[in-house]
């Protein structure tokens, strides 16, 4: 079935007819060819279809709502349309037409009819300039150099700003009242590095409608307007930043007009290894420094060098020509989208103000990230992030109001007292003796005696940190310490409230507590550099984990001390130690070495005395050295003995060795910090014996200000006679030293066998000495000390030690208390050297 032509239709009524008439009438002279009409119709039909397709995509792609530069370049149509669009209507004509018809009609601009404020206060200019120079010198020395703008741009960056690896940047413009939106958008559209998106946010703004009209007038799909009748205040724009899919975020206040090179500069610096983990900006603040009265002033205090710095500060001719680390940034923030999340780890001090400080504080605390003010080229305003600083003085700003200043002062002090390392803290490293930590009010009460002892001791410095929140509010802790409540609000280091509840809130997980305590204590330890961090031994296990991590993370010499609550009042002497000795608190290890054989009752008495002593939370291993002839009762006793302060080791000889071998081989040091306490089973010790040993080692051995290389042992016993002289005269150290200090410890060149701690270095020497001197027949190796009774001692290990100390010039340290009280005594019961059976110790 075919299509027939209607014969009633005139040839001129159809396209074919018209073409035939045209060909026949107008081109009669042309030689007609068969089928020529059919070819012409086909050609024209194809042209007609092509024109329709062309017109369709051309009209679509040339629409003002379509931005060809942001569309993916993946179709031939886009490329052709781009070329034709620029060819048919040049860009400058388009922008001119749009601006003249829309943007200009809706744009508003701030009137600035005043000059930049300049100070003529010579003193203030001098103080500010001096502080700024001190800051620059410090940072240049400690940050590995501070770079100029040109030096920064020469650094290697991960972002290839001219190649395919360009970063996506979302710009967030926060607006309330100022009339600067058009100036900001114009600047962003002219950037040397194009943005990915611009989000104009207006929360609770009275100018919402006019702001929306401005955004709509630009008719750019990359620029969006986001508003809310509810005022999300200063944190709202950062909450919006959490939604971006871009690599980097640039959050800009409405008083900032960035130069057209700003995005390129910011992106390049943010891609360098040195500043990748940072927030960058154009305006920053240096928080207050401590005054001579140990109080920190308000950051708005007038005519005060300690009030800090505002950078740059045109009023005082302070410019930023090299990158400078600030305590926090103001008015603009450029950072990776990932870092924005850090702002919300802790609940802010307040949502009414202070998002700038909170951001820098959280970034440093949880990401170890710094805040930096970028330098500018003074001759090129396009490199400035703040090209019109006078806008800061147009319209009202909350930071000048008295109530807001007080809130911000409270906020930055809260940050500093919970571990924020400000530039003051970095430039002025502190050194204190003890940083106490209490997680509850009961722990505050338990630690109070030792805290007060340190604070009342001349030359000592100690602070206390409390968990805060619902665990231990500062006010409750102050009441427990009988301190006025003002200590919780005054800007002076004394008690620091971590506000742990701000992070943990209602949670059954231990993670928030560990994170909050760890992050804050890490900063506080770095700021104050305490010799010791002290808390109670039964503190919450998660708190102890956090404290251990905080101490171990810092490179200083701080040590964590876990004190049993019952021992706190027993170590008040800790405050009497020199500050230089305190860091060695946990350094030494003392092992108890008992020599026993068949005096089970004597051994039981000794073990009870050892068990009743105070070990202040230290681990003290105990070893029993038994000769081959040990009786069953003794073996049963040592097997059943429970020792909660460390490991228990049992050693028994196969062949009877005698007392010389039993003692001299009872202990051998494992390190230079391993000390051995040697006790025969007829000795009894005081409950305070370990405290004396600990104190003596710290005060006379580990204190770097004391040099006693000859010290080889510490005695628990105070001798009452001189046993090596034939006459055995009485000896009273208190009387002997009464004109110096009647109860001063003293050095003596005789060792003690009735309870003494021996030093590792000298004991190793003693082993070598015994190996050279000892013989089975004592007469074959006589060692003679002039006029000494020891010359007649044939079976005494002590004789050999006396000989070595005499030859080496070594000495022992002896206690010297009123009435010759000692930390040990000997019951003189029958044994290897004592035959009497009725000896009784008089008490």
């Amino acid at each position: 079935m075919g299509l027939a032509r209607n014969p009633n239709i005139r040839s001129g009524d159809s396209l074919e007819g018209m073409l035939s008439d045209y060909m026949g009438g107008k081109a009669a002279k042309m030689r007609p060819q068969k089928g020529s009409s059919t070819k012409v119709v086909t050609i024209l039909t194809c042209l007609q279809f092509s024109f329709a397709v062309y017109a369709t995509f051309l009209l679509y792609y040339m629409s003002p709502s379509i931005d060809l530069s942001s569309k993916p370049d993946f179709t031939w149509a886009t490329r052709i349309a781009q070329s034709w669009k620029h060819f048919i209507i040049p860009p400058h004509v388009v922008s001119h037409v749009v601006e003249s018809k829309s943007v200009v009609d809706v744009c508003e601009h701030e009137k600035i009819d005043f000059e930049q404020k300049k100070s003529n206060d010579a003193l203030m200019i001098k103080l500010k300039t001096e502080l700024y120079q001190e800051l620059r010198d410090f940072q240049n020395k400690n940050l590995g150099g501070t770079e100029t703008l040109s030096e920064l741009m020469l650094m290697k960056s991960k972002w290839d700003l001219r190649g395919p690896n360009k970063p996506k940047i979302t710009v967030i413009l926060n607006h309330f009242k100022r009339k600067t939106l058009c100036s900001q958008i114009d600047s962003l559209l002219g950037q040397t590095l194009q943005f990915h998106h611009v989000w104009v946010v207006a929360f609770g703004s009275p100018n919402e409608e006019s702001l929306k009209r401005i955004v709509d007038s630009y008719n750019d799909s990359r620029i969006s307007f986001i508003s809310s009748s509810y005022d999300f205040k200063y944190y709202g724009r950062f909450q919006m930043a959490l939604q971006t899919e871009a690599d980097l975020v640039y959050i800009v206040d409405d008083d900032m007009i960035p130069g057209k090179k700003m995005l390129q500069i910011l992106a390049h610096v943010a891609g360098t290894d040195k500043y990748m983990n940072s927030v960058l900006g154009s305006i920053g603040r240096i928080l207050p420094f401590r005054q001579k009265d140990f109080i920190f002033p308000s950051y708005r205090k007038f005519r005060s060098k300690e009030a800090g710095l505002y950078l740059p500060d045109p009023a005082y001719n302070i410019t930023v020509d090299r990158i400078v680390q600030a305590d926090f940034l103001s008015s603009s923030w450029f950072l990776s989208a990932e870092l924005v999340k850090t702002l919300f780890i802790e609940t802010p001090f307040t949502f009414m103000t202070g998002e700038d400080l909170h951001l820098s504080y959280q970034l440093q605390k949880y990401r170890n990230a710094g805040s930096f003010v970028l330098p500018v080229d003074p001759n090129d305003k396009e490199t400035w992030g703040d090209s019109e600083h006078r806008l800061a003085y147009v319209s009202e700003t909350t930071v000048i109001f008295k109530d807001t200043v007080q809130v911000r002062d409270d906020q930055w002090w809260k940050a500093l007292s919970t571990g924020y390392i400000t530039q003051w803290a970095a430039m002025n490293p502190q050194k204190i003796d003890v940083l106490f930590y209490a997680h509850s009010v009961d722990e505050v009460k338990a630690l109070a005696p030792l805290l007060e002892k340190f604070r009342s001791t001349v030359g000592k410095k100690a602070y206390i940190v409390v968990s805060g929140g619902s665990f231990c509010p500062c006010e409750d802790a102050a009441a427990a310490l009988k301190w006025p409540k003002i200590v919780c609000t005054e800007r002076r280091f004394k008690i620091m409230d971590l506000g742990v509840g701000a992070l943990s809130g209602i949670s059954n997980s231990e993670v928030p507590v560990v994170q909050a305590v760890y992050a804050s204590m890490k900063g506080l330890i770095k700021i104050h550099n305490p010799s010791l961090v002290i808390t109670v031994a039964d503190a919450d296990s998660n708190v102890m984990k956090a404290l251990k991590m905080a101490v171990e993370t810092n490179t200083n010499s701080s040590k964590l001390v876990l004190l049993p609550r019952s021992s706190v009042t027993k170590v008040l002497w800790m405050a009497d130690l020199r500050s230089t000795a305190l860091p060695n608190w946990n350094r030494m290890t003392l092992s108890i070495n008992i020599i026993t054989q068949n005096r089970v009752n004597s051994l039981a008495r000794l073990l009870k005395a050892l068990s009743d002593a105070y070990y202040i939370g230290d681990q003290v291993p105990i070893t029993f050295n038994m000769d081959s002839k040990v009786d069953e009762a003794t073996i049963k006793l040592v097997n059943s003995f429970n020792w909660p302060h460390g490991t228990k080791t049992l050693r028994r000889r196969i062949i009877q060795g005698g007392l010389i071998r039993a003692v001299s081989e009872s202990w051998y040091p494992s390190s230079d910090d391993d000390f051995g306490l040697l006790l025969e089973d007829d000795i009894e010790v005081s409950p305070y014996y370990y405290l004396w040993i600990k104190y003596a080692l710290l005060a006379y051995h580990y204190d770097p200000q004391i040099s006693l290389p000859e010290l080889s042992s510490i005695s628990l016993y105070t001798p009452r006679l001189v046993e090596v002289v034939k006459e055995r005269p009485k000896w009273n150290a208190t009387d002997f030293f009464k004109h110096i200090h009647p109860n001063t410890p003293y050095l003596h060149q005789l060792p003690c066998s009735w309870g003494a701690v021996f030093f590792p270095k000298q004991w190793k020497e003693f082993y070598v000495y015994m190996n050279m001197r000892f013989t089975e027949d004592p007469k074959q190796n006589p060692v003679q000390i002039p006029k000494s009774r020891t010359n007649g001692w044939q079976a005494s290990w002590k004789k050999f030690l006396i000989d070595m100390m005499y030859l080496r010039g070594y000495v022992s340290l002896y206690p010297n208390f009123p009435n010759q009280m000692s930390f040990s005594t000997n019951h003189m019961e029958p044994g290897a050297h004592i035959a009497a059976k009725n000896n009784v110790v008089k008490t």
Side-chain angles (χ1 to χ4, degrees):
M1 184 176 180
L3 291 175
R5 180 178 175 182
N6 190 339
N8 296 322
I9 298 177
R10 295 182 293 114
S11 62
D13 292 338
S14 68
L15 177 61
E16 185 178 349
M18 287 188 287
L19 289 173
S20 299
D21 292 342
Y22 177 81
M23 296 297 293
K26 300 294 181 178
K29 296 182 180 180
M30 295 179 62
R31 187 172 58 185
Q33 296 181 6
K34 186 178 180 179
S36 61
S37 298
T38 303
K39 293 180 179 180
V40 172
V41 170
T42 302
I43 293 171
L44 290 179
T45 302
C46 291
L47 289 173
Q48 187 178 20
F49 176 78
S50 300
F51 179 81
V53 173
Y54 156 74
T56 300
F57 78 74
L58 183 62
L59 289 173
Y60 172 77
Y61 278 96
M62 292 181 64
S63 170
S65 64
I66 302 302
D67 178 36
L68 296 176
S69 64
S70 65
K71 288 290 182 181
D73 189 15
F74 57 85
T75 65
W76 62 272
T78 302
R79 292 193 295 272
I80 295 175
Q82 281 182 320
S83 302
W84 287 357
K85 181 176 179 179
H86 286 85
F87 178 77
I88 297 172
I89 307 178
H92 69 277
V93 176
V94 175
S95 63
H96 176 72
V97 172
V98 173
E99 182 179 9
S100 63
K101 291 185 178 181
S102 56
V103 175
V104 169
D105 294 339
V106 299
C107 275
E108 297 177 299
H109 299 277
E110 292 287 356
K111 294 181 181 180
I112 303 177
D113 54 3
F114 56 88
E115 296 296 325
Q116 173 64 52
K117 295 181 179 180
K118 295 285 185 180
S119 174
N120 57 4
D121 188 331
L123 176 61
M124 280 301 296
I125 294 174
K126 178 176 180 294
L127 293 177
K128 296 288 186 182
T129 303
E130 286 179 353
L131 181 57
Y132 183 45
Q133 189 59 49
E134 292 172 10
L135 177 71
R136 284 164 55 106
D137 292 343
F138 171 80
Q139 292 189 0
N140 188 53
K141 180 180 178 181
N142 292 274
L143 297 181
T146 52
E147 299 83 8
T148 62
L149 179 59
S150 59
E151 290 171 342
L152 286 171
M153 298 307 290
L154 289 174
M155 294 172 67
K156 184 178 179 181
S157 176
K158 67 177 287 188
W159 300 118
D160 182 7
L161 305 183
R162 296 182 179 179
N165 190 31
K166 292 182 181 179
K168 291 182 179 180
I169 302 173
T170 293
V171 182
I172 300 178
L173 303 177
N174 186 69
H175 274 265
F176 190 70
K177 282 187 177 181
R178 288 191 178 94
K179 303 171 183 178
T180 56
L181 180 56
C182 289
S183 298
Q184 288 182 324
I185 294 179
D186 289 343
S187 172
L188 292 172
L189 288 171
Q191 290 290 314
T192 54
L193 175 65
Q194 285 296 299
F195 55 81
H196 181 61
H197 285 296
V198 170
W199 296 345
V200 179
V201 298
F203 299 134
S205 171
N207 299 338
E208 179 180 338
E209 292 184 3
S210 63
L211 292 170
K212 186 178 188 306
R213 283 197 299 269
I214 291 173
V215 173
D216 291 342
S217 71
Y218 278 91
N219 201 21
D220 191 323
S221 62
R222 298 173 300 163
I223 306 176
S224 305
F225 181 72
I226 304 165
S227 65
S228 170
S229 59
Y230 181 80
D231 188 358
F232 288 94
K233 296 293 184 181
Y234 303 97
Y235 285 85
R237 51 197 164 173
F238 291 95
Q239 291 171 312
M240 291 301 305
L242 295 174
Q243 305 296 318
T244 184
E245 297 177 355
D247 304 300
L248 301 163
V249 182
Y250 188 29
I251 302 173
V252 186
D253 272 353
D254 56 7
D255 59 349
M256 300 288 284
I257 311 295
K260 295 182 179 180
K261 296 179 181 178
M262 204 61 208
L263 286 184
Q264 179 183 353
I265 294 170
L266 287 165
H268 177 84
V269 176
T272 63
D273 289 340
K274 186 174 182 179
Y275 299 106
M276 188 178 298
N277 185 41
S278 304
V279 56
L280 309 174
S282 301
I283 297 176
R285 268 201 176 274
I286 305 300
L287 286 169
F289 283 44
R290 188 166 62 180
Q291 301 174 148
K292 292 181 180 179
D293 60 359
F294 296 98
I295 293 178
F296 289 80
S298 168
Y299 80 106
R300 300 286 296 185
K301 184 178 180 180
F302 185 61
R303 292 180 68 85
S304 170
K305 179 178 179 180
E306 290 81 9
L309 292 170
Y310 180 79
L311 300 173
D313 197 339
Y316 298 103
N317 295 319
I318 293 178
T319 59
V320 178
D321 57 355
R322 289 183 174 274
I323 193 168
V324 58
Q325 185 169 7
D327 289 324
F328 67 92
L329 304 177
S330 297
S331 300
S332 68
W333 302 264
F334 189 90
L335 67 166
S336 71
E338 176 66 22
L339 288 179
V340 177
K341 303 173 185 177
T342 315
L343 176 66
F344 302 100
I345 292 179
E346 292 183 12
T347 303
F349 182 78
T350 175
F351 284 99
M352 300 301 293
T353 184
E355 82 295 347
D356 43 11
L357 170 62
H358 192 65
L359 175 64
S360 293
Y361 167 48
Q362 296 290 279
L363 284 174
Q364 184 198 91
K365 187 173 183 178
Y366 293 104
R367 295 295 189 99
N368 198 28
S371 303
F372 294 89
V373 178
L374 290 185
V376 301
D377 181 348
N379 300 316
D380 185 1
K381 268 201 168 185
E382 302 302 340
T383 67
W384 297 12
D386 179 24
S387 60
E388 183 48 81
H389 190 72
R390 289 177 295 174
L391 284 170
Y393 303 100
V394 176
S395 186
E396 60 189 21
T397 175
T398 58
V399 298
I400 65 173
F401 300 140
K402 182 177 179 181
D403 291 344
T404 304
V405 170
Q406 181 61 52
V407 170
R408 290 176 69 89
D409 273 338
D410 292 342
Q411 184 186 21
W412 69 254
W413 172 249
K414 179 70 174 178
L416 179 59
S417 60
T418 53
Y420 187 34
I421 305 170
T422 65
Q423 293 308 300
W424 166 81
M427 295 170 64
N428 300 274
Q430 303 298 293
K431 180 60 185 176
I432 67 172
D433 296 288
V434 180
L435 193 62
F436 290 89
Y437 180 83
H439 203 67
S440 67
V441 176
D442 286 341
E443 292 178 16
V444 173
K445 294 177 180 178
L447 295 170
L450 187 57
L451 171 63
E452 289 303 319
K453 174 64 175 178
F454 266 99
R455 293 189 61 83
S456 62
T457 302
V458 177
K460 291 296 189 295
K461 189 178 292 185
Y463 306 138
I464 185 169
V465 180
V466 296
S467 58
S470 59
F471 299 102
C472 183
C474 181
E475 293 76 9
D476 293 350
L481 293 168
K482 299 180 180 179
W483 292 353
K485 290 186 178 181
I486 194 175
V487 299
C488 296
T489 56
E490 64 179 356
R491 293 190 292 272
R492 179 200 298 267
F493 291 122
K494 189 172 184 179
I495 182 170
M496 281 82 90
D497 183 338
L498 298 189
V500 171
L503 177 63
S504 60
I506 301 174
S507 174
N508 293 325
S509 172
E510 73 281 1
V511 174
V513 173
V514 173
Q515 185 174 3
V517 175
Y518 163 70
S520 293
M521 288 298 293
K522 179 183 68 172
L524 288 173
I525 292 171
K526 190 169 184 179
I527 292 171
H528 299 288
N529 192 25
S531 296
L532 301 177
V533 176
I534 298 178
T535 192
V536 293
D538 61 341
D540 180 86
S541 60
N542 297 313
V543 172
M544 284 198 282
K545 289 178 186 176
L547 293 175
K548 287 179 181 177
M549 287 191 298
V551 170
E552 292 170 359
T553 300
N554 282 278
T555 57
N556 56 24
S557 57
S558 299
K559 297 293 183 291
L560 177 63
V561 176
L562 305 175
L563 288 178
R565 300 191 191 207
S566 60
S567 296
V568 171
T569 56
K570 305 299 188 297
V571 293
L572 300 184
W573 48 265
M574 187 187 294
D576 298 327
L577 294 169
R578 288 188 177 88
S579 299
T580 52
L582 288 174
N584 298 299
W585 182 268
N586 294 331
R587 186 172 172 181
M588 78 286 292
T589 298
L590 178 76
S591 61
I592 302 172
N593 301 274
I594 298 175
I595 298 91
T596 188
Q597 181 168 264
N598 52 15
R599 295 186 292 198
V600 65
N601 293 331
S602 302
L603 178 61
R605 181 183 58 228
L606 171 60
L607 295 182
K608 182 181 184 306
L610 289 171
S611 298
D612 291 342
Y614 300 103
Y615 296 96
I616 56 178
D618 289 358
Q619 288 292 298
V620 183
I622 189 169
T623 299
F624 292 89
N625 295 276
M626 299 171 286
D627 225 327
S628 63
K629 296 180 181 180
V630 60
D631 57 26
E632 289 299 324
T634 300
I635 293 176
K636 183 178 179 180
L637 175 61
V638 298
N639 278 324
S640 62
F641 177 66
N642 179 46
W643 182 247
H645 307 290
T647 60
K648 182 181 76 171
T649 303
L650 307 183
R651 298 172 59 193
R652 181 180 180 182
R653 282 182 170 275
I654 297 175
I655 301 174
Q656 189 77 6
L659 190 59
I660 292 181
R661 288 190 178 90
V663 175
S664 60
E665 298 178 7
S666 63
W667 167 74
Y668 193 82
S670 60
S671 72
D672 288 342
D673 296 306
D674 182 14
F675 297 82
L677 171 62
L678 273 55
L679 298 172
E680 295 187 44
D681 53 16
D682 61 344
I683 293 173
E684 186 175 3
V685 296
S686 160
Y688 300 95
Y689 88 90
Y690 183 79
L691 303 182
W692 157 247
I693 294 172
K694 185 94 170 181
Y695 173 84
L697 284 172
L698 288 167
Y700 299 106
H701 180 68
Y702 280 111
D703 188 346
Q705 296 187 29
I706 300 295
S707 178
L708 288 174
E710 303 85 3
L711 186 60
S712 64
S713 62
I714 298 172
S715 174
L716 303 183
Y717 181 72
T718 301
R720 300 191 177 194
L721 53 83
V722 182
E723 61 179 337
V724 296
V725 178
K726 184 177 181 180
E727 294 77 11
R728 303 185 71 186
K730 291 183 177 182
W731 163 253
N732 189 321
T734 301
D735 290 342
F736 186 84
F737 292 107
K738 62 183 178 182
H739 297 298
I740 303 174
H741 190 299
N743 298 120
T744 182
Y746 63 95
L747 300 174
H748 199 302
Q749 205 172 2
L750 290 176
C752 178
S753 59
W754 288 4
V757 175
F758 295 95
F759 286 24
K761 176 178 177 294
Q762 288 79 3
W763 193 258
K764 289 178 181 179
E765 290 183 27
F766 180 54
Y767 252 64
V768 175
Y769 182 84
M770 284 288 290
N771 185 52
M772 296 171 60
R773 294 277 188 159
F774 180 73
T775 59
E776 292 294 339
D777 182 1
K779 296 181 179 179
Q780 298 297 320
N781 187 19
V783 177
Q784 299 293 317
I785 298 178
K787 300 180 181 180
S788 173
R789 292 181 65 246
T790 62
N791 295 330
W793 297 355
Q794 298 299 323
S796 171
W797 68 272
K798 187 176 178 181
K799 163 187 169 63
F800 291 93
L801 184 57
I802 292 173
D803 294 344
M804 190 193 80
M805 290 181 64
Y806 172 76
L807 296 172
R808 292 284 194 178
Y810 290 149
V811 293
S812 296
L813 179 70
Y814 283 85
N816 179 20
F817 291 95
N819 301 318
Q820 295 181 287
M821 290 186 295
S822 297
F823 294 102
S824 70
T825 190
N826 191 308
H827 285 266
M828 301 291 290
E829 293 167 335
H833 289 156
I834 300 174
K837 297 182 180 181
N838 298 317
N839 290 333
V840 177
V841 175
K842 295 181 180 180
T843 59

